[in-house]
Amino acid sequence: MERVLVTGGAGYVGSVCVARLLDRGYAVDIVDDLSAGHVEAVPAGAELHKFEIGNREEMSRLVSSKKFDSVFHFAAKALVPESVTNPAIFFDVNVAQSLAMLEVLRDHGIRKFVFSSTAAVYGNPDTVPIPEDHPKNPVNSYGESKLMFEQILRWYARAYGLSVVAFRYFNASGGAATWGERHEPETHIIPILLQVASGRRTQFDIYGSDWPTPDGTCLRDYVHVSDIADAHILAMKKMGTPGFNVYNIGTGKSHSVREVWQLASEVTQKKIAARQSPRRAGDPAILCADPARLKAELGWEPKHSDLKGIIQGAWEWEKAQSSKAETGVSA
Ligand SMILES: NC(=O)c1ccc[n+]([C@@H]2O[C@H](COP(=O)([O-])OP(=O)(O)OC[C@H]3O[C@@H](n4cnc5c(N)ncnc54)[C@H](O)[C@@H]3O)[C@@H](O)[C@H]2O)c1
């Protein structure tokens, strides 16, 4: 049985990918320090090892104890507003600790590596939809730190024969009654809107209404986490030859903040209070993927990324969370 090491598998995207790997018959070990993840999110059947990815001793012990065929690297600091005010921790986890881990993996001959990068590497795009070879001008340290690690991986692939796939996700989203987005603090639009709808939050901030977009609010490309998980499995099956490959994961369609707000009101049948706020530092105006390369080379198609369906699933999750909060069960 093939075994996959998943970092950040107790987090939002990682836990869904772990569940998918287990469904497909892979053995999974997770390394997660639970700084932002949740034990309850870890799918049954995966083994959780609680330590920081930068802990070389623990990592060496783990990869010496079992044979791993590949690594999915989700663990990261990933909240954009925090990356503007506190870049140090982003360069620590996303670059220094990730590099320390990569060195341990190299020592142990682990050659297949899938990396969670981000659309934030592009910054404010010159053209949309954004192809992978678009210039990279990150406007926050989160995007910069991810770009730095991509570059490290590119050199490692060339020099040490690694087979690397870096996925630049656009807005990962979606949920269901049993799984969903749980960041602390939450900075993502869909969970925030739904928390207002359920009464767990008082209002929704529209950050800027003077962006150069049709309705003045930011445009984003929402991709369901299940479609992200599919891309990971497709990549793993194709990997083997040394090299660095990078793909956008997005739908190629973007939606404005106002549009998402209206759709969330429609899905929940609730009035979602909103206020106009100043632009938030580090936000580009428009992010929309060109997913042509992922479709052509890996045969990927988004199957779950219709925005209304994404919000409906995320609403199931929010309703479950808010009823737990009401009954005093820890969410
Ligand atoms: N959510 C999105 O919209 C989105 C978009 C683009 C890229 N990404 C990338 O996808 C990945 C997963 O994102 P997510 O939304 O699931 O985030 P998340 O915060 O839910 O998950 C990250 C996980 O990594 C763990 N972690 C953080 N630092 C660690 C460390 N030093 N050692 C061990 N574990 C550590 C956290 O405890 C958490 O479980 C990240 O790499 C993120 O940059 C996410």
Side-chain angles (χ1 to χ4, degrees):
M1 183 190 285
E2 281 192 40
R3 185 173 291 277
V4 184
L5 175 61
V6 178
T7 74
Y12 174 47
V13 185
S15 60
V16 174
C17 290
V18 168
R20 185 63 56 92
L21 284 167
L22 294 168
D23 278 354
R24 300 285 167 97
Y26 294 91
V28 179
D29 285 73
I30 293 173
V31 172
D32 197 303
D33 65 358
L34 299 179
S35 54
H38 308 273
V39 179
E40 319 82 81
V42 172
E47 196 174 330
L48 173 66
H49 307 269
K50 187 180 171 238
F51 59 84
E52 283 197 314
I53 52 164
N55 184 332
R56 286 177 189 243
E57 267 181 26
E58 293 277 9
M59 192 63 83
S60 289
R61 200 170 299 141
L62 174 60
V63 296
S64 307
S65 69
K66 299 175 185 183
K67 183 186 171 304
F68 289 98
D69 299 285
S70 31
V71 175
F72 285 6
H73 181 35
F74 298 98
K77 289 295 288 179
L79 298 178
V80 171
E82 188 187 4
S83 90
V84 176
T85 54
N86 189 14
I89 181 119
F90 285 75
F91 292 112
D92 175 31
V93 175
N94 300 355
V95 183
Q97 288 199 35
S98 292
L99 180 57
M101 175 183 73
L102 195 58
E103 277 297 273
V104 174
L105 303 179
R106 183 163 77 89
D107 270 357
H108 288 81
I110 301 171
R111 299 250 177 279
K112 294 188 202 166
F113 195 92
V114 183
F115 173 51
S116 303
S117 189
T118 168
V121 299
Y122 298 114
N124 281 304
D126 303 332
T127 50
V128 282
I130 310 171
E132 285 84 356
D133 58 3
H134 183 283
K136 319 301 176 288
N137 294 305
V139 293
N140 49 58
S141 76
Y142 167 59
E144 187 76 68
S145 66
K146 289 282 184 173
L147 183 59
M148 287 167 80
F149 199 62
E150 275 192 18
Q151 284 164 344
I152 289 170
L153 287 170
R154 196 183 289 273
W155 287 105
Y156 267 60
R158 187 183 294 182
Y160 307 127
L162 261 62
S163 178
V164 178
V165 169
F167 282 128
R168 295 182 185 143
Y169 314 162
F170 282 64
N171 280 49
S173 46
T178 50
W179 64 268
E181 201 161 353
R182 234 171 114 191
H183 298 114
E184 189 51 56
E186 190 54 77
T187 57
H188 294 155
I189 175 172
I190 294 174
I192 289 177
L193 281 165
L194 298 177
Q195 286 173 12
V196 180
S198 72
R200 289 208 295 154
R201 193 185 274 263
T202 51
Q203 65 186 354
F204 168 65
D205 286 294
I206 298 173
Y207 293 115
S209 43
D210 55 350
W211 295 95
T213 59
D215 71 11
T217 65
C218 288
L219 290 167
R220 292 290 180 272
D221 182 340
Y222 296 89
V223 59
H224 196 282
V225 182
S226 296
D227 287 328
I228 294 179
D230 284 347
H232 281 70
I233 303 281
L234 288 169
M236 198 171 57
K237 286 189 176 155
K238 278 220 165 175
M239 284 167 84
T241 46
F244 176 88
N245 291 289
V246 60
Y247 300 98
N248 288 331
I249 311 186
T251 64
K253 290 187 205 102
S254 59
H255 300 273
S256 76
V257 168
R258 274 186 201 286
E259 218 181 310
V260 182
W261 173 36
Q262 275 155 13
L263 206 49
S265 310
E266 194 185 303
V267 166
T268 59
Q269 297 286 298
K270 307 269 184 198
K271 187 168 163 27
I272 299 177
R275 74 171 168 195
Q276 300 288 342
S277 299
R279 290 182 179 191
R280 189 172 59 172
D283 272 340
I286 305 174
L287 287 174
C288 180
D290 177 351
R293 185 185 288 178
L294 183 57
K295 290 182 175 188
E297 292 185 14
L298 296 187
W300 178 85
E301 277 299 327
K303 297 188 187 110
H304 310 273
S305 295
D306 156 68
L307 183 59
K308 191 167 183 185
I310 283 176
I311 296 175
Q312 281 164 337
W315 180 228
E316 291 307 310
W317 170 247
E318 175 51 29
K319 284 191 289 188
Q321 296 305 103
S322 62
S323 73
K324 273 187 197 162
E326 264 169 31
T327 52
V329 179
S330 77

